[in-house]
Each structure stands twice: as structure tokens, then as C-alpha cells.
Amino acid sequence: MYIQDSGPGLVTFVGSSRIPRASDAHPLRYGSRRSHQLVVGEIIVRPHYAVGTDAVRGQGLGGLVTHGHDFAAFLEHGEVLLDPYGRFPGVPTN
């Protein structure tokens, strides 16, 4: 999930969700075959890690979805913010 500052008290995000079974009936589709859905509600996030970076600055939300995930570039232009499971030993956190 990418979070982008969108002004005072507002963020925009682009993300994806995986389910453990191979099916085109993802539970977040709510039975719809439409290309997009507007869902208003709460999102609970339990991060495995979080990285703050400027590596993707200027790409816009569409660019975030389609670009590759270059973790080395993310760290070169940022830092690990959260690492609750210790996935990056030796990498300093913010």
C-alpha cells in the first residue's frame, strides 16, 4: 500500500490485497463485476514494515500502481519507519 499526503488531515492510498485461494471472487469486490468501486468505511492496517521514501515522488497514483518496487531505491531516498517483525536487522529505523 502506498500512502500519499493529500493535504491537511487527508491521505490518498493505492494498494493491493491478496487472498490465499486462487479465485476471481476476492472478498473486497462485494460481488461486483464493475471496474472500480467506491468503498467508504474504515481500513485496519497491520504493517509488516513501513518505509518512508521520496523515490517515487511525482509518479502520481497511477504511476505507483504500475512501477516496480525497487526497495534499494526506496531506502536510498528514505528510511525504514516501522519494522515490528525484525525483517531488516541492521537497517536503522527512523
Side-chain angles (χ1 to χ4, degrees), residues 31-55:
S32 175
R33 301 306 298 164
R34 302 272 184 186
S35 59
H36 295 84
Q37 295 175 23
L38 169 66
V39 178
V40 178
E42 294 182 56
I43 295 177
I44 298 170
V45 178
R46 294 181 185 98
H48 292 208
Y49 58 87
V51 176
T53 186
D54 290 325

Side-chain angles (χ1 to χ4, degrees), residues 49-89:
Y49 58 87
V51 176
T53 186
D54 290 325
V56 292
R57 180 184 291 258
Q59 292 206 17
L61 296 175
L64 292 175
V65 172
T66 59
H67 79 82
H69 307 290
D70 185 350
F71 193 73
F74 289 1
L75 287 179
E76 182 180 339
H77 301 281
E79 67 277 341
V80 175
L81 302 172
L82 297 170
D83 187 13
Y85 298 104
R87 291 176 181 243
F88 306 100

